[in-house]
Amino acid sequence: MGSDTAPLSLNVPEPGCRPGDTPDFSDFEIPRAGEVGRPEVDVDPDSIREMAFSIVRVLNKEGDAVGDWAGALSVEELREGLRHMLTLRTFDARMQNAQRQGKTSFYMQHLGEEAVSCAFARALQPGDMNFPTYRQAGLLIASEYPMLTMMNQIYSNAEDPLAGRQLPIMYSSKEHGFFSISGNLGTQFVQSVGWAMASAISGDTKIATGWIGDGSTAENDFHAAMVFASTYKAPVVLNIVNNQWAISTFQGIARGGVGTFAARGHGFGIASLRVDGNDYLAVHAVAKWAAERARLGHGPTLIEHVTYRAGGHSTSDDPSAYRSKSEAAAWPLGDPIERLKQHLIKIGEWSEDRHAQAEAEILDTVISVQKQAEAVGTLAGGKAPSPRDMFEGVYETMPAHLIRQRQEAGY
Amino acid sequence: MAQMTMIEAIREAHDVAMAADDKVVVFGEDVGFFGGVFRCTAGLQEKYGKSRCFDAPINESGIVGTAIGMAAYGLKPVIEIQFADYVYPAYDQIVSEAARLRHRSNGDFTCPLVIRMPTGGGIFGGQTHSQSPEAIFTHVSGLKVVIPSNPRDAKGLLLAAIADPDPVIFLEPKRLYNGPFDGHHDKPIESWKKHPQGDVPEGNEIIPLGKAHIQREGADVTVLAYGTMVYVAEAAAEETGVDAEVIDLRTLMPLDLETIVESVKKTGRCVIVHEATRTSGFGAELMSLVQEACFYHLEAPMIRVTGWDTPYPHAQEWEYFPGPARVGEALRKVMED
């Protein structure tokens, strides 16, 4: 059979930079800080379509806070935000190391993404519920969840609130508005919409937030969440954390070569925008805007947090096998901690000395908490949860067959 | 007491639960304004309003996923999957999320949820309107699995499922929606309105989960069945003259092992009947449990009468469906040893 057309070929997107290449982000369009205006919270999603193709930014290169989205936080709150981000980074570094020392089986860092969850948490109210992925521990840190409890979970020791049943970092705290983390990607995105629908059904004033990474937007539950959020106008803020990488897969495999992740909201009539994920002030301002929009019954918002996964995917990953080692340093939106620090120094509310002192104090605290947790036990030794515990909580009341199995196991 | 079809009994269970507790919400494809393709939710939206009973987009994972979020909030969702054959897109949400939420969060979050779905064949439903997927749920720790066989049980078990603090898969044999069916497809169908088990108690009377019902007492052989097969087994016993004890399991998880073991120890023989395909079907679990518990009481090898290990066909409906002739043959055979 002859054909008049050339043979077809499959398009498989490739990142611009592989190991050994020089990173090049010159195609990455970044608007100036302050350039994207702040619409009213009851805005018609159709009228802000261009926001899904731009980036809300507050901090400029010089460290000034500029534009409509600036001014939402006091100096005290900014210093607190810096402390939360430093705490998360220090916590990460210590836990990453603890994994290398065999004290836990697994860990995942937030390096470079600290602003996203730390700033977002401060825009919510008590009673709101986050449906996080495994990379939003800043929601807990910034909600003053006890660090000791986090470490006990990571060490699966006798004080682990999840009784040793869950992989490290799969935290859960209803009290702190942090839904139980699951290993299955995307599932919680649609659950957040259901939680928000329940709040609306109940005539409540609480809102939900859904979280998903760039790679997981390809999961079916991303689509399901968008459909249900749109149909029922659910009071939910749907967050895509675009850190450019899904393990070894660059974001172009999930997205293709066109549009943005935020633009996916357009087809659903959801207010959709992008924010500089390394700009604490911008993330907080946008989160507050979306939360208020949801709380006032104006419907869901989709936020794409544009950031960069500076660390490995997990302790089981070596990113130098698939991307350039210098890529994180070349990332044009910089480092969230450095940028907030620069801003506070610029406005005369911080200094290099105070920063060094804060870093030292935080490190002391984390080490001291770590000692407490390790005194209870780690995966390598010490006090462990009872094996009896694995049979508990499968159902509210243990059925006969599980009682038999527990006895068979010797407990 | 009132005579009802299974459809009316299921509708009534929703009504009773929704009246008693405003946390009960009902949704699924076509369940709202229209009242469901099988009428199981008819009139509920009009009576309780759109925020309590509403139509959902055609997305099973979305239906179950949002319901899990609602359950975590504190509501009691009773949701419908239009056919059990279409539950697979929601399998991740059911297995990885609903079933495990209590365990993985150490009780911090729970998932009191009922997932209703019409199941089973015998209606010329072909490949995707006839399946019996119970075994893919009984294999999952954290789920309860219920399958009623008559209006009285349907109402009482559904009310129990709604009251239950854990996720319940509630399978409704659609072949039994309007009347009992013994597999004799050439005979006219009797309505539940003339059947003793169509007599449904008023009000909020539950039938506890995990309790089997002895549908027909007998001394020769124990037949383990559920759903439509309960009536097929009953007919087979009458037609063969084998004095079979027919046990309607009603709940597959947790299973009423006590009733099963007591019966098999009495009869010394066991036939297991289900519509679902044989290999790794729930019958395999039943056979293993009976073997473990009743080995020295067994006088003959156990026999399984099941759907064949093929997709459910259309034209060959009655060659596939385990009817009274095949069950009768098994009853005779098990008595020969």
Side-chain angles (χ1 to χ4, degrees):
Chain A
M1 290 278 281
S3 170
D4 293 339
T5 54
L8 293 162
S9 64
L10 185 71
N11 173 58
V12 181
E14 272 293 322
C17 174
R18 286 294 192 189
D21 297 342
T22 304
D24 179 11
F25 287 104
S26 57
D27 286 351
F28 180 55
E29 283 178 46
I30 308 167
R32 281 179 291 106
E35 192 175 296
V36 180
R38 183 184 188 277
E40 295 300 319
V41 293
D42 61 350
V43 68
D44 173 8
D46 269 352
S47 68
I48 55 162
R49 289 175 70 85
E50 75 286 352
M51 288 185 79
F53 298 96
S54 191
I55 302 177
V56 173
R57 304 180 67 228
V58 172
L59 292 175
N60 66 17
K61 271 184 193 157
E62 288 71 41
D64 300 306
V66 295
D68 291 356
W69 296 89
L73 290 163
S74 68
V75 166
E76 267 318 306
E77 288 169 322
L78 289 175
R79 278 199 287 254
E80 195 176 32
L82 188 62
R83 183 171 62 81
H84 291 147
M85 291 198 287
L86 283 169
T87 303
L88 179 56
R89 186 166 292 185
T90 309
F91 181 88
D92 273 350
R94 297 293 304 183
M95 291 297 100
Q96 174 92 359
N97 205 34
Q99 190 277 337
R100 298 296 187 230
Q101 294 167 337
K103 292 173 183 170
T104 181
S105 63
F106 182 73
Y107 192 71
M108 298 177 103
Q109 296 191 88
H110 304 74
L111 193 63
E113 300 177 41
E114 293 88 349
V116 174
S117 51
C118 289
F120 200 99
R122 305 300 285 176
L124 297 175
Q125 290 181 8
D128 295 342
M129 185 61 69
N130 293 289
F131 286 73
T133 76
Y134 46 68
R135 225 187 292 276
Q136 276 87 46
L139 295 169
L140 287 173
I141 299 267
S143 306
E144 310 292 340
Y145 183 73
M147 192 190 294
L148 178 60
T149 314
M150 292 172 80
M151 286 185 185
N152 287 335
Q153 196 281 325
I154 289 164
Y155 288 146
S156 286
N157 64 24
E159 300 292 322
D160 172 3
L162 307 183
R165 297 176 196 158
Q166 267 277 44
L167 198 66
I169 74 163
M170 304 284 188
Y171 315 105
S172 173
S173 177
K174 192 175 191 172
E175 192 191 339
H176 292 80
F178 193 94
F179 186 74
S180 158
I181 294 178
S182 166
N184 292 64
L185 300 178
T187 50
Q188 77 292 338
F189 211 53
V190 67
Q191 291 163 6
S192 74
V193 177
W195 198 98
M197 287 169 67
S199 178
I201 287 168
S202 309
D204 204 342
T205 57
K206 294 171 190 148
I207 65 164
T209 76
W211 294 85
I212 203 164
D214 46 285
S216 301
T217 60
E219 290 281 6
N220 300 326
D221 280 343
F222 174 76
H223 174 85
M226 302 289 276
V227 174
F228 279 70
S230 164
T231 298
Y232 301 107
K233 219 176 163 185
V236 64
V237 183
L238 294 168
N239 297 283
I240 302 167
V241 182
N242 177 8
N243 67 14
Q244 316 299 320
W245 291 96
I247 308 185
S248 74
T249 308
F250 96 112
Q251 47 99 3
I253 291 287
R255 182 176 59 80
V258 291
T260 63
F261 288 105
R264 307 221 147 155
H266 285 164
F268 297 91
I270 295 175
S272 304
L273 54 94
R274 296 170 94 209
V275 64
D276 179 345
N278 292 12
D279 180 340
Y280 186 94
L281 284 78
V283 171
H284 176 269
V286 162
K288 208 173 168 198
W289 181 88
E292 192 183 340
R293 181 175 166 79
R295 210 179 305 281
L296 292 173
H298 300 310
T301 302
L302 179 69
I303 303 173
E304 177 184 344
H305 301 257
V306 183
T307 182
Y308 186 85
R309 195 197 76 208
H313 166 72
S314 71
T315 48
S316 309
D317 178 46
D318 172 15
S320 70
Y322 51 81
R323 69 183 190 189
S324 166
K325 280 181 180 171
S326 56
E327 201 176 83
W331 172 243
L333 296 177
D335 179 279
I337 291 178
E338 288 305 314
R339 286 175 64 193
L340 182 54
K341 173 188 162 194
Q342 182 197 17
H343 171 64
L344 280 167
I345 291 175
K346 183 83 187 278
I347 60 175
E349 297 290 350
W350 200 241
S351 68
E352 291 290 352
D353 285 351
R354 287 178 77 178
H355 193 80
Q357 193 189 340
E359 279 181 325
E361 281 170 10
I362 287 166
L363 182 60
D364 279 352
T365 305
V366 175
I367 288 171
S368 127
V369 173
Q370 194 177 359
K371 279 180 183 159
Q372 284 181 64
E374 289 176 9
V376 179
T378 70
L379 193 65
K383 281 190 213 145
S386 166
R388 187 187 169 94
D389 243 333
M390 71 183 158
F391 296 96
E392 300 284 349
V394 181
Y395 302 90
E396 186 186 68
T397 307
M398 195 179 295
H401 72 285
L402 273 182
I403 295 173
R404 284 194 298 272
Q405 288 175 28
R406 193 193 68 207
Q407 289 165 347
E408 188 184 330
Y411 305 98
Chain B
M1 302 284 262
Q3 286 293 131
M4 289 183 190
T5 65
M6 194 189 277
I7 289 167
E8 289 165 342
I10 288 164
R11 201 214 72 88
E12 164 100 348
H14 282 94
D15 196 352
V16 168
M18 290 175 88
D21 183 357
D22 59 13
K23 288 186 165 57
V24 177
V25 292
V26 176
F27 66 102
E29 295 156 19
D30 304 297
V31 311
F33 182 83
F34 180 56
V37 294
F38 290 106
R39 319 305 304 149
C40 289
T41 56
L44 297 176
Q45 183 175 84
E46 196 180 5
K47 188 166 176 182
Y48 296 100
K50 286 205 289 183
S51 68
R52 300 279 308 282
C53 177
F54 52 91
D55 292 316
I58 303 174
N59 187 315
E60 289 76 14
S61 182
I63 291 169
V64 176
T66 51
I68 292 167
M70 289 180 199
Y73 175 91
L75 296 187
K76 181 82 215 193
V78 182
I79 58 173
E80 179 178 299
I81 301 294
Q82 203 159 74
F83 286 86
D85 314 61
Y86 302 130
V87 73
Y88 309 117
Y91 199 52
D92 189 31
Q93 287 286 348
I94 295 172
V95 175
S96 310
E97 302 292 323
R100 296 170 189 218
L101 188 53
R102 178 190 295 279
H103 189 257
R104 78 168 194 236
S105 71
N106 197 12
D108 196 23
F109 293 92
T110 61
C111 191
L113 166 68
V114 180
I115 308 176
R116 293 177 42 241
M117 59 189 94
T119 188
I123 56 148
F124 282 100
Q127 301 212 350
T128 56
H129 299 81
S130 307
Q131 295 168 32
S132 298
E134 61 271 13
I136 69 167
F137 298 114
T138 54
H139 187 58
V140 179
S141 51
L143 297 178
K144 294 184 177 175
V145 181
V146 179
I147 176 164
S149 67
N150 59 69
R152 190 194 60 206
D153 286 2
K155 183 181 169 192
L157 289 168
L158 183 52
L159 284 169
I162 295 171
D164 198 272
D166 290 306
V168 180
I169 305 293
F170 197 85
L171 297 153
E172 300 165 2
K174 57 184 134 3
R175 177 70 244 200
L176 301 180
Y177 267 157
N178 290 305
F181 179 66
D182 61 9
H184 286 295
H185 50 94
D186 44 352
K187 288 188 195 157
I189 299 305
E190 185 199 0
S191 167
W192 284 117
K193 307 264 179 172
K194 294 172 189 155
H195 194 280
Q197 286 171 307
D199 236 3
V200 178
E202 312 267 339
N204 200 350
E205 194 173 305
I206 70 154
I207 292 176
L209 304 186
K211 293 277 175 237
H213 168 70
I214 298 175
Q215 176 78 6
R216 181 193 190 281
E217 289 196 14
D220 291 347
V221 48
T222 300
V223 180
L224 303 180
Y226 47 90
T228 308
M229 290 302 120
V230 170
Y231 299 96
V232 173
E234 230 183 348
E238 301 304 328
E239 288 160 23
T240 55
V242 174
D243 188 20
E245 179 146 291
V246 178
I247 300 181
D248 177 359
L249 299 177
R250 299 201 291 200
T251 305
L252 306 187
M253 177 57 71
L255 185 69
D256 185 356
L257 192 57
E258 221 171 296
T259 299
I260 295 169
V261 168
E262 195 183 328
S263 176
V264 176
K265 282 186 175 172
K266 178 179 78 177
T267 62
R269 291 179 166 84
C270 182
V271 169
I272 295 159
V273 192
H274 60 59
E275 287 182 68
T277 49
R278 183 169 303 166
T279 302
S280 303
F282 191 64
E285 182 63 28
L286 290 171
M287 200 176 240
S288 306
L289 290 167
V290 172
Q291 191 272 349
E292 284 168 359
C294 308
F295 183 76
Y296 295 106
H297 292 80
L298 286 172
E299 291 169 38
M302 288 178 271
I303 300 178
R304 278 180 289 174
V305 185
T306 67
W308 308 118
D309 281 342
T310 71
Y312 205 111
H314 184 248
Q316 303 91 334
E317 175 84 82
W318 306 117
E319 285 73 40
Y320 181 94
F321 184 90
R326 272 179 63 204
V327 177
E329 197 185 323
L331 292 180
R332 284 200 194 92
K333 188 163 187 286
V334 82
M335 292 310 296
E336 282 168 13
D337 287 299

